[in-house]
Amino acid sequence: MSHQEFMDQAHAEAMKGLAEGGLPIGAVLIENGKVVARGHNKRIQDGNPVAHGEMDCLTNAGRRASYRNTVMYTTLSPCMMCSGTIIQFKIPEVVIGEAENFDGNIAFLENNGVKVTLMNDPNCIKMMKEFIEENPTLWNEDIAED
């Protein structure tokens, strides 16, 4: 599968989160070309401040001896918490749908040896832009802004 096909699956996860009343941020974890886990932001749904899309995806992946052969696809540039977790688990590559609406921590990931691909996916950009415009309070809560 291509980057776009995997990103489309992450986007579908984001849309699930939105349909559940949460933030539209989704992720998929790939190993050897196959999806091993999916997740989406569940902060609102679960009342859990650390239930970001990447964190939910890793939770759904379950315990693993190693993440060294995986690639994380995420619709939005990861926050510091998610970036730190990616580095902690030694996930070698992250493919990001967009960093226009939230620039996240791309340099931090790269400076810690993670290969980063930024797709600038128009569907991801539009989805987040619309959500932020319609839900500024929820968005600011998610990124810990006043």
Side-chain angles (χ1 to χ4, degrees):
M1 292 183 94
S2 70
H3 278 324
Q4 189 61 56
E5 290 168 308
F6 288 130
M7 188 55 65
D8 289 346
Q9 291 188 42
H11 186 271
E13 281 296 316
M15 295 306 291
K16 283 183 190 177
L18 184 61
E20 294 169 358
L23 284 85
I25 303 167
V28 293
L29 187 67
I30 309 305
E31 185 172 43
N32 300 320
K34 294 186 168 94
V35 176
V36 295
R38 306 167 189 280
H40 55 273
N41 188 300
K42 293 182 179 173
R43 291 184 66 258
I44 304 303
Q45 301 92 308
D46 293 352
N48 181 345
V50 297
H52 287 200
E54 299 90 342
M55 303 299 264
D56 184 54
C57 183
L58 290 170
T59 297
N60 293 334
R63 289 181 57 197
R64 305 178 62 80
S66 174
Y67 291 85
R68 290 196 171 109
N69 294 315
T70 64
V71 179
M72 172 72 72
Y73 283 76
T74 180
T75 57
L76 186 65
S77 186
C79 71
M80 185 55 78
M81 175 182 68
C82 294
S83 295
T85 302
I86 289 164
I87 291 164
Q88 175 68 33
F89 290 146
K90 298 177 178 62
I91 296 172
E93 184 175 358
V94 176
V95 179
I96 299 169
E98 71 109 337
E100 185 174 307
N101 291 292
F102 180 71
D103 60 5
N105 293 279
I106 293 173
F108 177 70
L109 288 165
E110 291 174 331
N111 290 338
N112 282 277
V114 178
K115 177 183 176 189
V116 175
T117 301
L118 178 58
M119 292 182 62
N120 293 314
D121 182 90
N123 291 325
C124 292
I125 294 168
K126 180 178 185 285
M127 175 180 63
M128 280 311 301
K129 183 178 188 315
E130 289 174 358
F131 179 82
I132 292 167
E133 287 173 357
E134 294 169 11
N135 303 279
T137 302
L138 286 179
W139 171 245
N140 286 336
E141 178 186 323
D142 193 69
I143 60 170
E145 292 291 328
D146 295 306

mmCIF file of all heavy atoms in Angstrom, residues 104-123:
data_model
loop_
_atom_site.group_PDB
_atom_site.id
_atom_site.type_symbol
_atom_site.label_atom_id
_atom_site.label_comp_id
_atom_site.label_asym_id
_atom_site.label_seq_id
_atom_site.Cartn_x
_atom_site.Cartn_y
_atom_site.Cartn_z
ATOM 1 N N GLY A 104 3.141 20.929 15.634
ATOM 2 C CA GLY A 104 3.629 19.799 16.407
ATOM 3 C C GLY A 104 5.116 19.870 16.689
ATOM 4 O O GLY A 104 5.655 20.939 16.948
ATOM 5 N N ASN A 105 5.772 18.727 16.575
ATOM 6 C CA ASN A 105 7.173 18.609 16.996
ATOM 7 C C ASN A 105 8.018 17.858 15.983
ATOM 8 O O ASN A 105 8.766 16.942 16.331
ATOM 9 C CB ASN A 105 7.214 17.931 18.360
ATOM 10 C CG ASN A 105 6.603 18.815 19.417
ATOM 11 O OD1 ASN A 105 7.252 19.708 19.922
ATOM 12 N ND2 ASN A 105 5.333 18.595 19.704
ATOM 13 N N ILE A 106 7.916 18.251 14.741
ATOM 14 C CA ILE A 106 8.650 17.575 13.671
ATOM 15 C C ILE A 106 10.156 17.640 13.906
ATOM 16 O O ILE A 106 10.851 16.616 13.803
ATOM 17 C CB ILE A 106 8.257 18.149 12.296
ATOM 18 C CG1 ILE A 106 6.794 17.794 11.994
ATOM 19 C CG2 ILE A 106 9.185 17.632 11.205
ATOM 20 C CD1 ILE A 106 6.228 18.440 10.754
ATOM 21 N N ALA A 107 10.679 18.796 14.231
ATOM 22 C CA ALA A 107 12.129 18.927 14.448
ATOM 23 C C ALA A 107 12.592 18.060 15.610
ATOM 24 O O ALA A 107 13.653 17.428 15.537
ATOM 25 C CB ALA A 107 12.509 20.384 14.686
ATOM 26 N N PHE A 108 11.806 17.993 16.673
ATOM 27 C CA PHE A 108 12.134 17.150 17.824
ATOM 28 C C PHE A 108 12.223 15.674 17.400
ATOM 29 O O PHE A 108 13.160 14.972 17.781
ATOM 30 C CB PHE A 108 11.075 17.340 18.916
ATOM 31 C CG PHE A 108 11.255 16.482 20.126
ATOM 32 C CD1 PHE A 108 12.303 16.698 21.012
ATOM 33 C CD2 PHE A 108 10.365 15.454 20.387
ATOM 34 C CE1 PHE A 108 12.464 15.904 22.142
ATOM 35 C CE2 PHE A 108 10.510 14.655 21.518
ATOM 36 C CZ PHE A 108 11.564 14.882 22.395
ATOM 37 N N LEU A 109 11.252 15.229 16.612
ATOM 38 C CA LEU A 109 11.289 13.848 16.123
ATOM 39 C C LEU A 109 12.546 13.608 15.285
ATOM 40 O O LEU A 109 13.286 12.649 15.514
ATOM 41 C CB LEU A 109 10.033 13.551 15.294
ATOM 42 C CG LEU A 109 8.728 13.424 16.073
ATOM 43 C CD1 LEU A 109 7.525 13.504 15.130
ATOM 44 C CD2 LEU A 109 8.700 12.134 16.875
ATOM 45 N N GLU A 110 12.785 14.505 14.330
ATOM 46 C CA GLU A 110 13.946 14.341 13.449
ATOM 47 C C GLU A 110 15.260 14.403 14.224
ATOM 48 O O GLU A 110 16.181 13.619 13.955
ATOM 49 C CB GLU A 110 13.927 15.408 12.355
ATOM 50 C CG GLU A 110 12.803 15.194 11.364
ATOM 51 C CD GLU A 110 12.664 16.317 10.354
ATOM 52 O OE1 GLU A 110 13.015 17.484 10.666
ATOM 53 O OE2 GLU A 110 12.183 16.031 9.244
ATOM 54 N N ASN A 111 15.358 15.305 15.190
ATOM 55 C CA ASN A 111 16.577 15.434 15.992
ATOM 56 C C ASN A 111 16.833 14.214 16.861
ATOM 57 O O ASN A 111 17.948 14.039 17.370
ATOM 58 C CB ASN A 111 16.523 16.687 16.861
ATOM 59 C CG ASN A 111 16.638 17.956 16.045
ATOM 60 O OD1 ASN A 111 17.149 17.952 14.920
ATOM 61 N ND2 ASN A 111 16.150 19.050 16.592
ATOM 62 N N ASN A 112 15.811 13.389 17.030
ATOM 63 C CA ASN A 112 15.956 12.155 17.805
ATOM 64 C C ASN A 112 15.941 10.914 16.916
ATOM 65 O O ASN A 112 15.644 9.812 17.379
ATOM 66 C CB ASN A 112 14.863 12.086 18.879
ATOM 67 C CG ASN A 112 15.206 12.974 20.049
ATOM 68 O OD1 ASN A 112 15.950 12.578 20.932
ATOM 69 N ND2 ASN A 112 14.694 14.198 20.039
ATOM 70 N N GLY A 113 16.263 11.103 15.644
ATOM 71 C CA GLY A 113 16.488 9.984 14.743
ATOM 72 C C GLY A 113 15.264 9.406 14.056
ATOM 73 O O GLY A 113 15.359 8.371 13.398
ATOM 74 N N VAL A 114 14.105 10.058 14.181
ATOM 75 C CA VAL A 114 12.892 9.562 13.535
ATOM 76 C C VAL A 114 12.815 10.136 12.123
ATOM 77 O O VAL A 114 12.968 11.343 11.922
ATOM 78 C CB VAL A 114 11.629 9.958 14.339
ATOM 79 C CG1 VAL A 114 10.364 9.488 13.635
ATOM 80 C CG2 VAL A 114 11.698 9.399 15.756
ATOM 81 N N LYS A 115 12.584 9.275 11.152
ATOM 82 C CA LYS A 115 12.364 9.728 9.776
ATOM 83 C C LYS A 115 10.939 10.273 9.710
ATOM 84 O O LYS A 115 9.985 9.584 10.071
ATOM 85 C CB LYS A 115 12.523 8.575 8.788
ATOM 86 C CG LYS A 115 12.237 8.976 7.360
ATOM 87 C CD LYS A 115 12.323 7.803 6.407
ATOM 88 C CE LYS A 115 11.921 8.275 5.010
ATOM 89 N NZ LYS A 115 11.775 7.145 4.086
ATOM 90 N N VAL A 116 10.788 11.506 9.249
ATOM 91 C CA VAL A 116 9.479 12.157 9.175
ATOM 92 C C VAL A 116 9.163 12.484 7.724
ATOM 93 O O VAL A 116 9.982 13.071 7.019
ATOM 94 C CB VAL A 116 9.449 13.445 10.027
ATOM 95 C CG1 VAL A 116 8.133 14.182 9.845
ATOM 96 C CG2 VAL A 116 9.696 13.121 11.493
ATOM 97 N N THR A 117 7.963 12.107 7.317
ATOM 98 C CA THR A 117 7.450 12.482 6.005
ATOM 99 C C THR A 117 6.193 13.310 6.232
ATOM 100 O O THR A 117 5.258 12.845 6.890
ATOM 101 C CB THR A 117 7.098 11.234 5.163
ATOM 102 O OG1 THR A 117 8.270 10.432 5.009
ATOM 103 C CG2 THR A 117 6.555 11.625 3.796
ATOM 104 N N LEU A 118 6.181 14.526 5.728
ATOM 105 C CA LEU A 118 5.026 15.408 5.828
ATOM 106 C C LEU A 118 4.306 15.407 4.486
ATOM 107 O O LEU A 118 4.868 15.819 3.478
ATOM 108 C CB LEU A 118 5.457 16.823 6.209
ATOM 109 C CG LEU A 118 4.362 17.875 6.298
ATOM 110 C CD1 LEU A 118 3.281 17.475 7.299
ATOM 111 C CD2 LEU A 118 4.968 19.224 6.656
ATOM 112 N N MET A 119 3.061 14.922 4.481
ATOM 113 C CA MET A 119 2.316 14.763 3.229
ATOM 114 C C MET A 119 1.578 16.023 2.781
ATOM 115 O O MET A 119 1.259 16.148 1.600
ATOM 116 C CB MET A 119 1.321 13.608 3.358
ATOM 117 C CG MET A 119 1.991 12.254 3.476
ATOM 118 S SD MET A 119 0.796 10.899 3.582
ATOM 119 C CE MET A 119 -0.038 11.037 2.002
ATOM 120 N N ASN A 120 1.252 16.930 3.701
ATOM 121 C CA ASN A 120 0.411 18.083 3.366
ATOM 122 C C ASN A 120 -0.874 17.637 2.674
ATOM 123 O O ASN A 120 -1.284 18.195 1.646
ATOM 124 C CB ASN A 120 1.176 19.098 2.507
ATOM 125 C CG ASN A 120 2.292 19.746 3.278
ATOM 126 O OD1 ASN A 120 2.102 20.159 4.414
ATOM 127 N ND2 ASN A 120 3.466 19.816 2.682
ATOM 128 N N ASP A 121 -1.509 16.623 3.254
ATOM 129 C CA ASP A 121 -2.712 16.028 2.695
ATOM 130 C C ASP A 121 -3.883 17.015 2.778
ATOM 131 O O ASP A 121 -4.246 17.464 3.878
ATOM 132 C CB ASP A 121 -3.050 14.751 3.470
ATOM 133 C CG ASP A 121 -4.258 14.050 2.928
ATOM 134 O OD1 ASP A 121 -4.086 13.203 2.033
ATOM 135 O OD2 ASP A 121 -5.389 14.343 3.389
ATOM 136 N N PRO A 122 -4.487 17.378 1.652
ATOM 137 C CA PRO A 122 -5.557 18.382 1.678
ATOM 138 C C PRO A 122 -6.766 17.957 2.506
ATOM 139 O O PRO A 122 -7.424 18.795 3.128
ATOM 140 C CB PRO A 122 -5.921 18.573 0.204
ATOM 141 C CG PRO A 122 -5.206 17.536 -0.562
ATOM 142 C CD PRO A 122 -4.152 16.947 0.298
ATOM 143 N N ASN A 123 -7.078 16.665 2.540
ATOM 144 C CA ASN A 123 -8.208 16.201 3.350
ATOM 145 C C ASN A 123 -7.935 16.393 4.835
ATOM 146 O O ASN A 123 -8.824 16.796 5.591
ATOM 147 C CB ASN A 123 -8.520 14.734 3.066
ATOM 148 C CG ASN A 123 -9.081 14.528 1.682
ATOM 149 O OD1 ASN A 123 -9.818 15.349 1.164
ATOM 150 N ND2 ASN A 123 -8.707 13.418 1.062
#
